[in-house]
């Protein structure tokens, strides 16, 4: 009775493998990783190396399961944990550090399917981030992810799945999308807490950076912005809704003030819920005003550019036609010589033109003669073709007449079915044949 062959218990099969290779010191080293995890680890999305590696060993050939020898590791990576050294140092090295080095700097082979999947995942992440951080400037409402994906295709933004700085790609795509759709960064709601003694300094700094205007920082119009803090009687707080690019400015301001602090109330400020008809009409009017302002600014800029180009061209022409200085002007003798040369050039040009005219006339005569000969040959061919067609028509008519006559004669002749080979021209001969002894 046969026994089933089972897999040995000490054999670990590696499936769904992504191999990362590094060649150093004339030897190749490999590590076995999970697919789609290497890129995440290099980008900082995945921090646990055990979730990336299938086994924490260095191979010389992952497909054959051959581990790297300790002597080779010591020779190539000996004495250093970052992989920058090598040579004759034979100290034992940390294999985990070697794995980290290969994982960060090794070559990863990515298939077309994996590359497409990474591209789609990156595009989806960028669209999600823009949908969460971008709003319409009038309605202050976010765009949907399909709208953003369509705008990304229209602006032809190139996604780089291998780049580690994801936020830079988000911002680059956001700036490029502003050329095809109306979108701005959603504002942040911050709270700046500071001592009452620093009130004048804070308001001056806010006015300097354009966060608040002078009318908003006075005592009559600042109730919605400035208030007393609940934690202390001598502390004030300013609730500000600002662009995310001004966060660093306010953070530096809070650090420069004694006992000052900056708190984030809302990371993203956008409108939520349904809107009524009046709000939509007001938003549409604001949008039309915004579009008209943008178009007028564009037309003004184009007109200014056109006017500048015209001024530059006029200035250049004026500079070219400006008279030469007195010391650079030619003398009378040089001017006379120059005029004589111009006359000679004009005479040579006229002589050359007459020769060209004669050549053109000769050429035209030859062309006319050649056209005449070609017309005569064409007429001869036409006459021959007409004669051939006429002769063929006459022949066809004669053949048709002969055939008709023979067919008529055949139709009037009679033959005897009993006496084979006997044919009679008319019915009289046919009847006489039946009465004759020959037929009987």
């Amino acid at each position: 009775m046969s026994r089933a062959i089972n897999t040995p218990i000490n054999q670990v099969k590696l499936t769904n493998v992504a191999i990362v290779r590094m060649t150093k010191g004339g030897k190749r080293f490999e590590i076995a990783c999970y697919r789609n995890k290497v890129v995440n680890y290099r980008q900082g999305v995945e921090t646990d190396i055990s979730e990336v590696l299938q086994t924490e060993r260095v191979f010389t050939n992952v497909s054959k399961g051959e581990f790297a020898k300790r002597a080779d590791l010591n020779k190539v990576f000996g004495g250093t944990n970052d992989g920058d050294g090598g040579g004759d140092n034979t100290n034992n090295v940390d294999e985990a550090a070697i794995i980290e080095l290969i994982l960060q700097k090794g070559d990863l082979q990515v298939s077309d399917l994996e590359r497409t999947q990474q591209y789609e995942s990156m595009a989806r992440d960028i669209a999600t981030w823009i949908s969460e951080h971008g709003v319409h400037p009038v309605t202050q409402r976010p765009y949907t992810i399909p709208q953003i994906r369509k705008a990304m295709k229209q602006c032809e933004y190139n996604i780089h799945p291998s780049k580690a700085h994801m936020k830079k790609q988000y911002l680059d795509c956001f700036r490029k999308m502003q050329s095809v759709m109306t979108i701005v960064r959603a504002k942040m709601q911050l709270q700046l807490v500071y001592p009452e003694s620093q009130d004048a300094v804070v308001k001056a700094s806010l006015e300097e950076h354009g966060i608040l205007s002078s009318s908003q920082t006075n005592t009559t119009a600042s109730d919605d912005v400035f208030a007393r803090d609940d934690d202390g009687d001598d502390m004030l707080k300013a609730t500000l809704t600002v662009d995310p690019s001004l966060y660093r400015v306010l953070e530096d301001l809070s650090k420069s003030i004694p006992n000052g602090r900056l708190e984030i109330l809302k990371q993203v400020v956008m409108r939520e819920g349904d809107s009524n008809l009046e709000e939509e009409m007001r938003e549409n009017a604001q949008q039309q005003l915004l579009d008209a302002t943008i178009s007028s600014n564009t037309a003004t800029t184009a007109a200014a550019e056109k006017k500048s180009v015209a001024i530059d061209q006029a200035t250049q022409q004026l500079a070219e036609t400006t008279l030469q200085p007195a010391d650079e002007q030619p003398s009378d003798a040089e001017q006379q010589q120059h005029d004589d040369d111009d006359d000679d050039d004009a005479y040579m040009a006229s002589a050359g033109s007459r020769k060209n005219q004669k050549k053109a006339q000769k050429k035209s005569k030859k062309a006319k003669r050649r056209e005449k000969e070609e017309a005569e040959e064409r007429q001869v061919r036409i006459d021959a073709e007409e004669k051939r067609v006429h002769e063929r028509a006459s022949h066809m008519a004669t053949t048709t007449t002969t055939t008709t006559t023979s067919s008529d004669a055949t139709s009037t002749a009679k033959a005897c079915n009993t006496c084979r080979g006997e044919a009679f021209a008319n019915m009289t001969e046919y009847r006489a044949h039946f009465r004759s002894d020959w037929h009987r």
Side-chain angles (χ1 to χ4, degrees):
M1 181 176 179
S2 62
R3 180 179 295 178
I5 300 176
N6 298 323
T7 303
I9 59 175
N10 61 346
Q11 181 178 353
V12 180
K13 283 194 172 184
L14 301 178
T15 58
N16 192 26
V17 181
I19 302 175
V20 183
R21 297 183 176 88
M22 174 180 280
T23 302
K24 188 176 180 67
K27 297 184 180 295
R28 186 178 66 179
F29 302 97
E30 300 177 351
I31 56 175
C33 306
Y34 291 103
R35 295 185 184 272
N36 304 324
K37 285 292 185 178
V38 179
V39 177
N40 294 339
Y41 185 80
R42 291 179 176 179
Q43 292 177 351
V45 177
E46 181 65 56
T47 57
D48 189 2
I49 196 172
S50 62
E51 296 292 333
V52 181
L53 299 175
Q54 293 206 3
T55 178
E56 297 182 1
R57 292 293 303 273
V58 181
F59 296 82
T60 56
N61 194 323
V62 174
S63 302
K64 296 181 180 179
E66 297 177 356
F67 294 107
K69 297 180 181 179
R70 175 62 61 176
D72 295 338
L73 295 177
N74 292 336
K75 181 179 179 182
V76 177
F77 302 97
T80 58
N81 289 337
D82 56 357
D84 294 336
D88 297 334
N89 195 341
T90 59
N91 296 331
N92 291 332
V93 295
D94 187 6
E95 192 168 357
I98 299 175
I99 292 174
E100 176 74 18
L101 174 66
I102 297 174
L103 189 59
Q104 290 288 353
K105 299 182 179 180
D107 298 329
L108 174 64
Q109 292 184 352
V110 182
S111 63
D112 294 339
L113 184 61
E114 291 175 327
R115 189 178 294 105
T116 303
Q117 184 178 0
Q118 291 178 7
Y119 182 87
E120 288 296 327
S121 177
M122 181 73 68
R124 187 169 54 253
D125 293 343
I126 292 175
T128 304
W129 187 91
I130 294 176
S131 177
E132 294 174 353
H133 294 81
V135 294
H136 192 277
V138 177
T139 62
Q140 296 297 318
R141 296 181 183 274
Y143 287 94
T144 61
I145 293 179
Q147 289 175 325
I148 295 173
R149 292 293 298 270
K150 182 178 179 181
M152 290 171 62
K153 292 181 180 179
Q154 290 178 354
C155 69
E156 297 180 354
Y157 178 73
N158 295 324
I159 300 174
H160 301 280
S162 60
K163 282 190 176 180
H165 301 286
M166 293 296 301
K167 190 172 182 180
K168 186 177 184 302
Q169 290 201 61
Y170 297 156
L171 298 176
D172 292 343
C173 182
F174 188 89
R175 283 191 291 269
K176 197 165 185 180
M177 279 177 53
Q178 289 178 334
S179 62
V180 297
M181 71 184 305
T182 307
I183 187 171
V184 294
R185 286 285 301 274
K187 295 184 178 181
M188 301 175 63
Q189 190 173 19
L190 306 175
Q191 189 177 78
L192 179 62
V193 182
Y194 58 93
E196 187 176 1
S197 59
Q198 301 291 327
D199 186 43
V201 177
V202 171
K203 290 182 178 180
S205 179
L206 294 179
E207 291 181 11
E208 179 183 356
H209 292 92
I211 299 174
L212 295 176
S213 61
S214 59
S215 61
Q216 292 175 314
T217 55
N218 58 33
T219 55
T220 59
S222 61
D223 295 339
D224 297 337
V225 179
F226 299 96
R228 288 198 172 272
D229 190 25
D230 298 335
D231 296 341
D233 296 337
D234 59 342
M235 300 294 289
L236 298 178
K237 61 181 180 181
T239 305
L240 307 171
T241 303
V242 299
D243 191 82
S245 60
L246 298 173
Y247 176 78
R248 296 298 179 188
V249 176
L250 295 175
E251 186 180 18
D252 296 339
L253 177 62
S254 64
K255 291 180 180 179
S256 63
I257 298 174
N259 298 327
R261 68 178 186 272
L262 183 65
E263 300 175 356
I264 300 177
L265 300 182
K266 287 185 179 180
Q267 188 76 27
V268 177
V269 178
M270 59 178 60
R271 293 182 58 183
E272 298 178 353
D274 299 333
S275 62
N276 53 32
L277 181 60
E278 295 180 357
E279 291 180 354
E280 290 183 357
M281 292 177 63
R282 184 172 61 255
E283 291 170 358
N284 291 334
Q286 294 177 357
Q287 179 63 29
Q288 292 177 1
L289 181 61
L290 179 62
D291 295 339
T293 304
I294 293 174
S295 61
S296 63
N297 292 336
T298 304
T300 304
T301 304
E305 291 179 354
K306 186 181 294 184
K307 184 177 180 181
S308 177
V309 171
I311 292 173
D312 293 340
Q313 291 178 354
T315 304
Q316 185 177 1
Q317 292 178 0
L318 182 61
E320 291 176 354
T321 57
T322 302
L323 295 177
Q324 297 179 353
D327 55 350
E328 295 183 0
Q329 291 183 358
S331 62
D332 295 339
E334 293 177 352
Q335 185 66 29
Q336 183 65 27
Q337 181 66 27
H338 182 69
D339 295 339
D340 295 339
D341 293 340
D342 291 341
D343 294 339
D344 295 339
D345 294 339
Y347 176 76
M348 295 299 293
S350 62
S353 63
R354 285 196 296 271
K355 290 183 179 179
N356 293 332
Q357 290 177 0
K358 290 182 179 180
K359 288 182 179 179
Q361 290 177 359
K362 291 181 179 179
K363 186 179 293 185
S364 63
K365 290 180 180 179
K366 292 181 179 179
K368 290 180 180 179
R369 187 167 56 253
R370 186 165 53 252
E371 290 178 359
K372 185 177 180 180
E373 293 176 355
E374 291 177 355
E376 293 176 354
E377 293 177 358
R378 193 182 306 112
Q379 187 63 35
V380 170
R381 288 197 297 270
I382 292 173
D383 296 341
E385 183 67 20
E386 290 179 353
K387 183 178 180 181
R388 187 178 64 82
V389 171
H390 181 69
E391 291 177 353
R392 183 178 180 185
S394 302
H395 178 70
M396 291 295 294
T398 305
T399 305
T400 305
T401 304
T402 305
T403 306
T404 304
T405 305
S406 61
S407 61
D408 294 339
T410 305
S411 61
T412 56
K414 294 292 183 178
C416 181
N417 295 331
T418 305
C419 305
R420 304 234 177 232
E422 293 292 336
F424 308 97
N426 49 40
M427 292 300 296
T428 304
E429 294 179 359
Y430 184 67
R431 293 191 187 95
H433 170 70
F434 274 95
R435 296 192 193 95
S436 63
D437 295 336
W438 177 261
H439 177 69
R440 295 173 183 175

